[in-house]
Amino acid sequence: MLVSIASARSGNAVAGGGLGGLMGSGTPLTEWGSVLGLARFPDGHIGGVADGEWYRLVTAMFLHYGVLHLLLNMWALWVLGRTLEAVLGPLRFLALYLLAGLGGNVAAYVFTEPNRFTAGASTAVFGLFAAIFVIMRRLGRDTSAIVPILVINLIFTFTVPSISVAGHLGGLVAGAVVSLILAYAPRSRRTAFQVAGCALVLVALIGLTLVRTAALLG
Protein backbone atom coordinates (compact mmCIF):
# COMPACT_ATOMS: atom_id res chain seq x y z
CA MET A 1 0.00 0.00 0.00
CA LEU A 2 2.83 2.40 0.85
CA VAL A 3 4.54 1.64 -2.45
CA SER A 4 1.27 2.26 -4.27
CA ILE A 5 0.77 5.63 -2.55
CA ALA A 6 4.37 6.62 -3.22
CA SER A 7 3.99 5.74 -6.90
CA ALA A 8 0.98 8.07 -7.15
CA ARG A 9 2.68 11.07 -5.52
CA SER A 10 -0.83 12.20 -4.57
CA GLY A 11 -3.13 12.09 -1.55
CA ASN A 12 -5.88 10.77 -3.81
CA ALA A 13 -4.29 7.33 -3.52
CA VAL A 14 -5.11 7.39 0.18
CA ALA A 15 -8.64 8.74 0.16
CA GLY A 16 -9.76 10.09 -3.18
CA GLY A 17 -12.19 7.50 -4.49
CA GLY A 18 -15.57 6.03 -3.65
CA LEU A 19 -17.55 5.82 -0.39
CA GLY A 20 -17.30 9.53 0.24
CA GLY A 21 -13.64 9.61 -0.75
CA LEU A 22 -12.49 6.81 1.55
CA MET A 23 -11.78 4.09 -0.98
CA GLY A 24 -8.84 5.79 -2.68
CA SER A 25 -7.99 6.23 -6.34
CA GLY A 26 -5.87 4.33 -8.79
CA THR A 27 -2.08 4.67 -8.82
CA PRO A 28 0.65 3.69 -11.29
CA LEU A 29 1.09 0.49 -9.28
CA THR A 30 -2.60 -0.49 -9.44
CA GLU A 31 -2.60 0.45 -13.12
CA TRP A 32 0.27 -1.99 -13.62
CA GLY A 33 -1.10 -4.89 -11.57
CA SER A 34 -4.90 -4.73 -11.57
CA VAL A 35 -7.07 -7.03 -13.63
CA LEU A 36 -7.56 -5.42 -17.03
CA GLY A 37 -8.94 -7.18 -20.08
CA LEU A 38 -7.59 -5.09 -22.94
CA ALA A 39 -7.25 -1.32 -23.23
CA ARG A 40 -5.24 1.47 -24.78
CA PHE A 41 -3.33 3.60 -22.27
CA PRO A 42 -2.92 7.38 -22.50
CA ASP A 43 0.62 6.99 -23.86
CA GLY A 44 -0.74 4.93 -26.75
CA HIS A 45 0.39 1.42 -25.79
CA ILE A 46 -2.10 -1.44 -25.47
CA GLY A 47 -2.11 -3.60 -22.35
CA GLY A 48 -4.15 -6.10 -20.41
CA VAL A 49 -4.45 -9.82 -19.77
CA ALA A 50 -5.44 -10.45 -23.38
CA ASP A 51 -2.19 -8.76 -24.47
CA GLY A 52 -0.15 -11.30 -22.53
CA GLU A 53 -0.12 -9.65 -19.10
CA TRP A 54 -1.37 -12.76 -17.31
CA TYR A 55 0.44 -11.72 -14.13
CA ARG A 56 -2.45 -9.30 -13.51
CA LEU A 57 -4.67 -12.24 -12.52
CA VAL A 58 -2.35 -12.85 -9.55
CA THR A 59 -1.00 -9.41 -8.65
CA ALA A 60 -4.49 -7.90 -8.48
CA MET A 61 -5.30 -9.82 -5.29
CA PHE A 62 -2.44 -8.06 -3.49
CA LEU A 63 -3.27 -4.48 -4.54
CA HIS A 64 -5.88 -2.10 -3.08
CA TYR A 65 -7.52 1.22 -3.83
CA GLY A 66 -6.96 3.28 -0.70
CA VAL A 67 -6.37 2.61 2.97
CA LEU A 68 -9.98 1.75 3.83
CA HIS A 69 -10.08 -0.84 1.05
CA LEU A 70 -6.92 -2.42 2.44
CA LEU A 71 -8.00 -2.33 6.09
CA LEU A 72 -11.41 -3.89 5.44
CA ASN A 73 -9.89 -6.78 3.53
CA MET A 74 -7.08 -7.32 6.03
CA TRP A 75 -9.54 -7.37 8.92
CA ALA A 76 -11.67 -9.98 7.14
CA LEU A 77 -8.57 -12.00 6.28
CA TRP A 78 -7.42 -11.90 9.91
CA VAL A 79 -10.79 -13.04 11.25
CA LEU A 80 -11.42 -15.77 8.68
CA GLY A 81 -7.84 -16.78 8.03
CA ARG A 82 -6.92 -17.67 11.61
CA THR A 83 -9.78 -20.17 11.88
CA LEU A 84 -9.28 -21.70 8.46
CA GLU A 85 -5.51 -22.01 8.74
CA ALA A 86 -5.87 -23.70 12.13
CA VAL A 87 -8.21 -26.29 10.58
CA LEU A 88 -6.57 -26.78 7.17
CA GLY A 89 -2.91 -26.15 7.90
CA PRO A 90 -0.79 -23.49 6.16
CA LEU A 91 -0.30 -25.20 2.78
CA ARG A 92 -3.96 -26.09 2.21
CA PHE A 93 -5.00 -22.65 3.42
CA LEU A 94 -2.57 -21.02 0.99
CA ALA A 95 -3.94 -23.12 -1.88
CA LEU A 96 -7.48 -22.11 -0.92
CA TYR A 97 -6.59 -18.43 -0.70
CA LEU A 98 -4.70 -18.30 -4.00
CA LEU A 99 -7.27 -20.30 -5.99
CA ALA A 100 -10.16 -18.26 -4.59
CA GLY A 101 -8.36 -15.02 -5.42
CA LEU A 102 -7.44 -16.28 -8.87
CA GLY A 103 -11.00 -17.48 -9.43
CA GLY A 104 -12.38 -14.06 -8.59
CA ASN A 105 -9.87 -12.33 -10.84
CA VAL A 106 -10.60 -14.67 -13.74
CA ALA A 107 -14.32 -14.00 -13.26
CA ALA A 108 -13.61 -10.26 -13.33
CA TYR A 109 -11.61 -10.76 -16.53
CA VAL A 110 -14.35 -12.81 -18.16
CA PHE A 111 -17.43 -10.83 -17.10
CA THR A 112 -16.17 -7.23 -16.72
CA GLU A 113 -15.72 -4.61 -19.43
CA PRO A 114 -12.23 -5.11 -20.89
CA ASN A 115 -11.15 -1.52 -20.16
CA ARG A 116 -12.07 -1.56 -16.45
CA PHE A 117 -9.45 -2.01 -13.71
CA THR A 118 -10.27 -4.26 -10.75
CA ALA A 119 -8.09 -5.17 -7.77
CA GLY A 120 -8.22 -6.21 -4.13
CA ALA A 121 -7.94 -9.17 -1.81
CA SER A 122 -11.73 -9.33 -1.56
CA THR A 123 -11.87 -11.94 -4.33
CA ALA A 124 -9.94 -14.28 -2.04
CA VAL A 125 -11.78 -13.07 1.08
CA PHE A 126 -15.14 -14.01 -0.44
CA GLY A 127 -13.68 -17.44 -1.14
CA LEU A 128 -12.77 -17.69 2.54
CA PHE A 129 -16.37 -16.82 3.49
CA ALA A 130 -17.58 -19.75 1.40
CA ALA A 131 -14.85 -22.00 2.77
CA ILE A 132 -15.53 -21.33 6.43
CA PHE A 133 -19.21 -22.13 5.87
CA VAL A 134 -18.43 -25.40 4.04
CA ILE A 135 -15.72 -26.55 6.45
CA MET A 136 -17.62 -25.66 9.61
CA ARG A 137 -20.62 -27.61 8.29
CA ARG A 138 -18.31 -30.54 7.54
CA LEU A 139 -17.06 -30.43 11.13
CA GLY A 140 -20.61 -30.25 12.47
CA ARG A 141 -20.20 -26.77 13.93
CA ASP A 142 -22.74 -23.96 14.05
CA THR A 143 -22.66 -21.70 10.96
CA SER A 144 -25.59 -19.43 11.84
CA ALA A 145 -23.29 -16.46 12.54
CA ILE A 146 -21.60 -16.73 9.15
CA VAL A 147 -24.67 -16.35 6.93
CA PRO A 148 -25.69 -12.82 8.05
CA ILE A 149 -22.13 -11.53 7.58
CA LEU A 150 -21.99 -13.03 4.10
CA VAL A 151 -25.38 -11.55 3.22
CA ILE A 152 -24.25 -8.10 4.38
CA ASN A 153 -21.13 -8.35 2.24
CA LEU A 154 -23.19 -9.44 -0.76
CA ILE A 155 -25.48 -6.44 -0.26
CA PHE A 156 -22.44 -4.17 -0.34
CA THR A 157 -21.22 -5.99 -3.43
CA PHE A 158 -24.39 -5.24 -5.36
CA THR A 159 -25.00 -1.70 -4.06
CA VAL A 160 -21.58 0.00 -4.05
CA PRO A 161 -20.81 1.00 -7.67
CA SER A 162 -17.01 0.68 -7.45
CA ILE A 163 -17.07 -2.95 -6.28
CA SER A 164 -16.50 -5.77 -8.78
CA VAL A 165 -19.58 -8.01 -8.60
CA ALA A 166 -17.98 -10.58 -10.89
CA GLY A 167 -14.81 -10.65 -8.82
CA HIS A 168 -16.61 -11.19 -5.53
CA LEU A 169 -18.97 -13.85 -6.87
CA GLY A 170 -16.15 -15.59 -8.73
CA GLY A 171 -14.08 -15.74 -5.56
CA LEU A 172 -17.09 -17.04 -3.64
CA VAL A 173 -17.68 -19.86 -6.14
CA ALA A 174 -14.01 -20.77 -6.44
CA GLY A 175 -13.62 -20.82 -2.66
CA ALA A 176 -16.68 -23.01 -2.29
CA VAL A 177 -15.41 -25.52 -4.86
CA VAL A 178 -11.91 -25.70 -3.39
CA SER A 179 -13.21 -26.00 0.17
CA LEU A 180 -15.51 -28.85 -0.87
CA ILE A 181 -12.49 -30.63 -2.34
CA LEU A 182 -10.46 -30.08 0.83
CA ALA A 183 -13.25 -30.91 3.27
CA TYR A 184 -14.70 -34.00 1.60
CA ALA A 185 -11.57 -35.71 0.30
CA PRO A 186 -11.63 -39.45 1.13
CA ARG A 187 -9.54 -40.14 4.20
CA SER A 188 -7.48 -42.94 2.61
CA ARG A 189 -6.31 -40.82 -0.36
CA ARG A 190 -6.82 -37.36 1.06
CA THR A 191 -3.67 -35.60 -0.15
CA ALA A 192 -3.75 -37.06 -3.66
CA PHE A 193 -7.44 -36.22 -4.03
CA GLN A 194 -6.94 -32.67 -2.80
CA VAL A 195 -3.94 -32.00 -5.04
CA ALA A 196 -5.74 -33.41 -8.09
CA GLY A 197 -8.92 -31.48 -7.31
CA CYS A 198 -7.11 -28.18 -6.86
CA ALA A 199 -5.15 -28.82 -10.06
CA LEU A 200 -8.41 -29.34 -11.96
CA VAL A 201 -9.74 -26.03 -10.59
CA LEU A 202 -6.57 -24.32 -11.79
CA VAL A 203 -6.87 -25.90 -15.24
CA ALA A 204 -10.51 -24.80 -15.48
CA LEU A 205 -9.55 -21.22 -14.60
CA ILE A 206 -6.78 -21.25 -17.22
CA GLY A 207 -9.29 -22.56 -19.76
CA LEU A 208 -11.74 -19.74 -19.00
CA THR A 209 -8.91 -17.23 -19.37
CA LEU A 210 -7.95 -18.64 -22.76
CA VAL A 211 -11.56 -18.51 -23.98
CA ARG A 212 -11.95 -14.88 -22.88
CA THR A 213 -8.62 -13.95 -24.46
CA ALA A 214 -9.65 -15.49 -27.78
CA ALA A 215 -12.93 -13.57 -27.64
CA LEU A 216 -11.19 -10.25 -26.99
CA LEU A 217 -8.62 -10.77 -29.72
CA GLY A 218 -11.02 -12.30 -32.24
Side-chain angles (χ1 to χ4, degrees):
M1 186 69 230
L2 293 177
V3 174
S4 186
I5 293 170
S7 72
R9 299 180 180 179
S10 168
N12 286 343
V14 180
L19 284 182
L22 293 176
M23 289 298 286
S25 297
T27 69
L29 185 61
T30 57
E31 186 177 279
W32 165 82
S34 297
V35 175
L36 177 72
L38 190 66
R40 185 178 296 276
F41 288 81
D43 63 3
H45 85 276
I46 295 175
V49 178
D51 193 52
E53 297 174 346
W54 281 45
Y55 65 85
R56 291 177 176 273
L57 297 174
V58 176
T59 55
M61 73 179 83
F62 300 104
L63 298 174
H64 293 84
Y65 291 106
V67 174
L68 179 60
H69 189 202
L70 174 66
L71 292 178
L72 287 173
N73 280 331
M74 292 305 98
W75 175 80
L77 178 59
W78 172 254
V79 172
L80 298 170
R82 287 184 302 165
T83 301
L84 287 169
E85 186 174 7
V87 174
L88 297 174
L91 290 180
R92 289 176 174 83
F93 174 75
L94 180 63
L96 168 65
Y97 182 86
L98 293 177
L99 286 173
L102 180 62
N105 289 339
V106 168
Y109 175 50
V110 172
F111 297 109
T112 303
E113 300 89 344
N115 62 345
R116 179 182 173 188
F117 290 99
T118 61
S122 48
T123 52
V125 167
F126 265 74
L128 299 186
F129 273 120
I132 200 164
F133 179 83
V134 169
I135 290 172
M136 292 300 104
R137 288 294 297 269
R138 180 71 174 93
L139 296 174
R141 298 181 186 176
D142 181 29
T143 57
S144 59
I146 299 170
V147 176
I149 298 174
L150 178 57
V151 169
I152 291 170
N153 278 274
L154 287 172
I155 291 172
F156 274 107
T157 296
F158 284 101
T159 56
V160 178
S162 60
I163 290 178
S164 172
V165 175
H168 283 191
L169 296 184
L172 187 72
V173 171
V177 172
V178 173
S179 60
L180 285 168
I181 292 169
L182 297 178
Y184 290 91
R187 187 181 300 270
S188 60
R189 295 171 296 164
R190 185 180 69 167
T191 300
F193 184 92
Q194 291 172 337
V195 170
C198 289
L200 285 175
V201 172
L202 178 60
V203 169
L205 294 175
I206 293 173
L208 288 172
T209 302
L210 291 173
V211 171
R212 175 60 166 166
T213 299
L216 291 178
L217 297 179

